[in-house]
Amino acid sequence: MDTPRFRVRPALEADSAGLVRLFAAGNAHALVAEDEGGRLLGAATVAVHPRLYSPRASAQLTALVTDSEARRAGVGRALTRAAAEVARAAGCEKLYVRTNRRRQESPDFYRSQGFQETHLTFDLPLGPR
């Protein structure tokens, strides 16, 4: 068996340009919010994927992160709106998000942005490999 000629490691700040290139090459999109000085205040990622049961794709808001110092300043709202625009531009039928029940503030935030509760999600833990 051939030995892989690569390694896996945590992403570093120096990887930023390469990550943007990788996101842009597929059906994934990364968005950032920054202040006038260029400091990052938040980020969102969106994955567009086809569905077998519908002719139109769906988009998932896979991450929404806001710097703790920028919370309640509209950063999350702006990133969510931008994510919805990415989904619309891709011809998606909807943008959806999953949030952990431990994040007690998230459901109210997403409802305030127009998201509707439509599904009950179950996860199957697969255990160690």
Side-chain angles (χ1 to χ4, degrees):
M1 185 169 185
D2 291 333
T3 303
R5 295 174 191 240
F6 60 87
R7 65 186 173 121
V8 177
R9 61 170 173 74
L12 304 172
E13 191 170 332
D15 297 322
S16 298
L19 288 169
V20 169
R21 179 182 52 77
L22 289 172
F23 271 101
N27 288 329
H29 305 269
L31 305 163
V32 297
E34 63 184 6
D35 66 13
E36 293 95 12
R39 184 175 71 94
L40 288 183
L41 303 176
T45 56
V46 180
V48 175
H49 53 87
R51 297 179 302 160
L52 296 176
Y53 53 87
S54 176
R56 293 176 62 195
S58 284
Q60 181 179 7
L61 180 59
T62 53
L64 179 62
V65 181
T66 303
D67 186 283
S68 61
E69 295 177 14
R71 297 243 165 93
R72 307 243 180 254
V75 174
R77 288 188 300 275
L79 286 165
T80 302
R81 283 193 302 272
E85 286 306 314
V86 165
R88 271 190 207 94
C92 293
E93 181 178 5
K94 66 179 178 178
L95 173 67
Y96 70 94
V97 64
R98 290 181 63 183
T99 186
N100 195 300
R101 292 182 189 276
R102 290 178 292 190
R103 302 198 57 90
Q104 296 177 2
E105 71 283 0
S106 295
D108 287 340
F109 170 78
Y110 290 118
R111 285 185 198 104
S112 77
Q113 301 307 299
F115 286 82
Q116 302 168 358
E117 283 185 68
T118 59
H119 291 75
L120 181 61
T121 301
F122 296 90
D123 290 336
L124 177 65
L126 300 177
R129 289 186 78 185

